[in-house]
């Protein structure tokens, strides 16, 4: 019998790509999502790519009574991959209570039901934001967790602490936190991809939306950072590479290959790319010219960060394989697909 895996936030950007990889690896997937920052069209995309439609329940993981009813209905779940969270750095600065309530409550509720229903495994969607502005680059898992530069980053720190404390008190539970850097791109089919609501907070959808004419210009936040070209530096990895890492981490737990109750891995390409270099990559990969403008720095942004991913490479046998240019091209193909779909529906 196929193993049942619960994916919270499974029709979101990273969640939907991970569901594809899970289905293609032979797992039975149950998605829960409240659709606050996602779209049911992703389910159609998942089905078109894989030939399978995962089970879907619309519910809010922060609602304990809804979750209780869900776990009464589905009693064969063996593991949880937890994506459901708010994720905008700038919104978290403007509305911290929204972030603390949603991100912490959802995680506490899931751990409560893992204990109650004897669900032993969790793969947690964490973030490189837990490192703040690191003292040394590339940053490894052994780097100190510093004061977060945003409430969003702080929720990820606290969620990791909540998971760690729960596992210490309940040794039957095991978890892996994946601290990823900046996911970009879309599935090569162009049937699923990043679909931000409103003005994008992340660079790549802002690039593609500008190129296709939704925005007049791209704002580059700061050119006075202590970096080679003055723009902020990030570690951009393709979302399909990232999705595959979740399946590898899950299999590590299911096969009892984990070396501790709680393990943490960095996921990235292990190389820093500046905002201006990312723009150059997009223009090179697509042949499109971008209209961009340098503006002031944005609150909560880290100057530069990229990851040391050697631990994940060695322990998980996982490595990011898709190039930056290919990631940019896939994001552009997704943007063009969205425009085509919109034109068909209007």
């Amino acid at each position: 019998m196929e193993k049942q895996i619960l994916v919270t936030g499974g029709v979101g950007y990273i969640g939907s790509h991970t569901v594809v990889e899970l289905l293609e690896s032979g797992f039975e997937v149950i998605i829960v999502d409240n659709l606050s920052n996602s779209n049911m069209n992703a389910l159609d995309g998942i089905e078109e790519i894989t030939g399978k439609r995962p089970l879907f329940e619309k519910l809010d993981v922060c609602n304990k009574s809804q979750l209780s009813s869900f776990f009464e209905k589905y009693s064969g779940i063996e593991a949880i991959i937890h994506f459901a969270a708010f994720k905008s750095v700038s919104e978290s600065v403007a509305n911290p209570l929204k972030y603390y309530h949603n991100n912490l409550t959802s995680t506490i509720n899931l751990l409560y039901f893992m204990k109650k229903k004897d669900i032993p495994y969790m793969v947690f969607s964490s973030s490189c934001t837990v490192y703040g502005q690191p003292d040394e680059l590339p940053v490894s898992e052994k780097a100190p967790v510093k004061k977060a530069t945003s409430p969003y980053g702080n929720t990820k720190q606290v969620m990791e602490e909540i998971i760690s404390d729960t596992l210490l008190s309940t040794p039957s539970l095991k978890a892996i936190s994946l601290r990823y850097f900046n996911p970009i791109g879309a599935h090569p089919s162009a049937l699923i991809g990043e679909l931000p609501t409103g003005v994008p907070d992340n660079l790549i959808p802002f690039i593609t939306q500008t190129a296709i004419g939704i925005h007049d210009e791209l704002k580059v936040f700061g050119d006075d950072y202590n970096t080679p070209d003055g723009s902020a530096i990030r570690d951009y990895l393709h979302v399909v590479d990232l999705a595959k890492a979740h399946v590898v981490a899950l299999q590590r737990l299911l096969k009892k290959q984990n070396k501790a109750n709680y393990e943490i891995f960095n996921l990235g390409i292990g190389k820093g790319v500046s905002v201006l270099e990312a723009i150059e990559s997009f223009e090179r990969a697509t042949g499109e010219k971008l209209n961009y403008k340098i503006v002031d720095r944005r609150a909560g942004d880290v100057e530069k960060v990229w990851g040391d991913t050697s631990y994940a490479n060695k322990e998980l046998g996982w490595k990011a394989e898709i190039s930056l240019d290919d990631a940019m091209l896939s994001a552009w193909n997704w943007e063009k697909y969205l425009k085509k779909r919109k034109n068909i529906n209007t």
Side-chain angles (χ1 to χ4, degrees):
M1 183 180 167
E2 294 176 335
K3 294 184 185 295
Q4 276 192 343
I5 310 300
L6 169 61
V7 181
T8 72
V11 291
Y13 175 40
I14 304 167
S16 60
H17 287 82
T18 301
V19 168
V20 165
E21 298 301 323
L22 287 167
L23 292 172
E24 292 185 337
S25 299
F27 291 99
E28 182 182 343
V29 177
I30 306 165
I31 294 172
V32 299
D33 201 304
N34 67 1
L35 303 178
S36 66
N37 194 29
S38 53
N39 190 296
M40 283 292 284
N41 286 328
L43 268 185
D44 299 329
I46 291 166
E47 184 175 21
E48 198 168 336
I49 293 164
T50 65
K52 303 172 189 171
R53 193 171 185 89
L55 296 166
F56 175 81
E57 297 280 348
K58 183 182 177 184
L59 64 85
D60 187 343
V61 189
C62 290
N63 187 315
K64 205 168 182 180
S65 64
Q66 287 182 6
L67 261 188
S68 180
S69 300
F70 170 83
F71 283 112
E72 288 300 317
K73 183 176 179 180
Y74 297 98
S75 56
I77 293 168
E78 295 198 45
I80 296 171
I81 303 182
H82 179 30
F83 292 107
F86 293 145
K87 60 176 187 173
S88 165
V89 168
S90 58
E91 185 189 35
S92 78
V93 172
N95 196 351
L97 293 180
K98 174 181 177 180
Y99 274 66
Y100 286 116
H101 171 74
N102 182 79
N103 294 4
L104 302 189
T105 304
S106 62
T107 305
I108 291 166
N109 285 349
L110 285 171
L111 289 166
Y112 170 83
F113 283 106
M114 284 176 71
K115 289 178 68 171
K116 188 174 182 182
K117 299 294 183 180
D118 295 321
I119 301 168
Y121 306 121
M122 173 185 279
V123 177
F124 174 59
S125 164
S126 192
S127 167
C128 67
T129 55
V130 301
Y131 297 117
Q133 179 59 66
D135 294 324
E136 294 182 13
L137 291 169
V139 59
S140 78
E141 293 86 350
K142 293 177 181 176
V145 170
K146 299 175 71 176
K147 180 172 173 56
T149 59
S150 69
Y152 162 73
N154 199 33
T155 66
K156 290 296 185 180
Q157 289 182 359
V158 177
M159 289 153 86
E160 283 193 6
E161 290 170 359
I162 291 168
I163 292 168
S164 176
D165 289 344
T166 304
L167 299 188
L168 279 172
S169 72
T170 315
S172 60
L173 302 184
K174 314 284 189 288
I176 291 176
S177 279
L178 300 177
R179 290 176 177 169
Y180 24 95
F181 287 75
N182 292 70
I184 63 169
H187 194 270
S189 66
L191 292 168
I192 55 173
E194 191 167 8
L195 190 62
T197 54
V199 177
D201 201 52
N202 296 336
L203 175 64
I204 308 310
F206 213 122
I207 285 177
T208 59
Q209 288 186 9
T210 303
I212 213 157
I214 295 172
H215 309 293
D216 293 332
E217 64 183 11
L218 169 72
K219 291 181 174 66
V220 175
F221 295 104
D223 66 347
D224 58 349
Y225 286 111
N226 183 26
T227 62
D229 64 20
S231 65
I233 289 178
R234 297 291 182 269
D235 183 336
Y236 296 102
L237 77 157
H238 195 284
V239 67
V240 172
D241 280 334
L242 177 57
K244 288 177 178 176
H246 288 79
V247 179
V248 173
L250 174 67
Q251 289 170 330
R252 181 179 175 88
L253 290 171
L254 292 171
K255 293 175 183 177
K256 298 180 169 53
Q257 294 171 336
N258 52 303
K259 295 181 178 176
N261 271 25
Y262 187 42
E263 295 183 308
I264 293 169
F265 297 96
N266 282 344
L267 300 179
I269 63 168
K271 178 187 173 189
V273 175
S274 75
V275 173
L276 295 177
E277 286 173 332
I279 290 170
E280 287 171 11
S281 171
F282 176 82
E283 292 182 335
R284 183 170 58 243
T286 65
E288 300 290 327
K289 279 292 172 192
L290 270 178
N291 180 33
Y292 66 89
K293 176 185 176 184
I294 309 293
V295 298
D296 291 340
R297 296 184 187 189
R298 183 172 56 177
D301 277 350
V302 169
E303 178 174 87
K304 51 190 170 185
V305 65
W306 64 92
D308 177 350
T309 60
S310 56
Y311 186 54
N313 301 156
K314 176 169 139 295
E315 278 294 317
L316 297 179
W318 169 91
K319 195 172 191 334
E321 296 176 344
I322 302 168
S323 72
L324 179 64
D325 283 12
D326 285 344
M328 291 294 184
L329 184 58
S330 70
W332 180 234
N333 288 337
W334 163 246
E335 192 67 60
K336 290 189 289 185
Y337 169 75
L338 287 176
K339 184 176 182 180
K340 181 180 173 185
R341 192 171 75 189
K342 184 180 179 184
N343 290 340
I344 291 169
N345 293 335
T346 53

